[in-house]
Amino acid sequence: MKTLLAGCALALLSIAAAFAGPLDRPAGETILTITGGIANTNGDGVAEFDLAMLDALENRAATMNTPWTEGKTAFDGPLLKAVLDAAGAQGKTLIVKALNDYSAEVPMEDARDYPTILATRMNGAEMSVRDKGPLFMIYPFDKHPELYNEKYFSRSVWQIKEIEVVD
């Protein structure tokens, strides 16, 4: 039994090591930088992503009501979990930072437990800074109406530029 457990643990470590490593460098303009507790980098201790890199990750499209838009609005972008997995994020808390220096502490569980979107598009159009872009953290209010409250509204950062992963 011990040999089986040791073998399983070794296999899991090998799989984890295969995912750790450098990311491709962004070919376009960097719109997201991830810092802190990450295993996969493409810069000096950071993971930088352009729009094409984010578009290549597992994504979600959803139409929902939000407190910041009128009527049902369509959002599309990579899952927060997929972005963090690509960077090899290891921590308990995310500090999500906006272009205007607003920041929110977001528990890592929000990425793991909910299909939270880092929206790059709203109603089919790329999100400009003027329209809350380039990235807007959208909780799955359509699937989890219990999240439609001030606690999650305050974590729904727009104009995201950086995510810091901390313990």
Side-chain angles (χ1 to χ4, degrees), residues 6-152:
C8 289
L10 184 59
L12 287 173
L13 287 173
S14 297
I15 290 169
F19 286 106
L23 294 168
D24 289 337
R25 295 278 312 151
E29 177 185 355
T30 297
I31 61 172
L32 176 65
T33 302
I34 302 181
T35 64
I38 58 173
N40 304 332
T41 63
N42 57 9
D44 188 19
V46 301
E48 297 178 324
F49 295 85
D50 64 13
L51 182 59
M53 293 169 73
L54 293 172
D55 283 345
L57 298 173
E58 181 183 1
N59 65 56
R60 178 170 188 258
T63 301
M64 66 186 86
N65 290 314
T66 75
W68 313 282
T69 56
E70 288 190 31
K72 291 206 178 241
T73 304
F75 295 97
D76 185 15
L79 291 172
L80 176 59
K81 179 187 182 311
V83 175
L84 296 172
D85 287 348
Q90 302 162 3
K92 295 179 184 171
T93 305
L94 308 171
I95 309 297
V96 182
K97 302 174 184 179
L99 293 171
N100 67 358
D101 293 327
Y102 175 82
S103 66
E105 287 191 17
V106 175
M108 182 69 84
E109 291 84 28
D110 286 8
R112 306 285 180 225
D113 295 346
Y114 303 111
T116 304
I117 303 170
L118 282 183
T120 57
R121 291 169 179 80
M122 184 166 51
N123 294 324
E126 286 182 24
M127 296 176 66
S128 68
V129 171
R130 182 177 200 162
D131 292 321
K132 300 184 174 33
L135 298 169
F136 186 177
M137 187 178 314
I138 299 292
Y139 281 85
F141 301 126
D142 59 326
K143 290 182 173 245
H144 296 276
E146 71 276 12
L147 302 179
Y148 201 89
N149 62 61
E150 288 298 325
K151 175 179 169 181
Y152 292 95

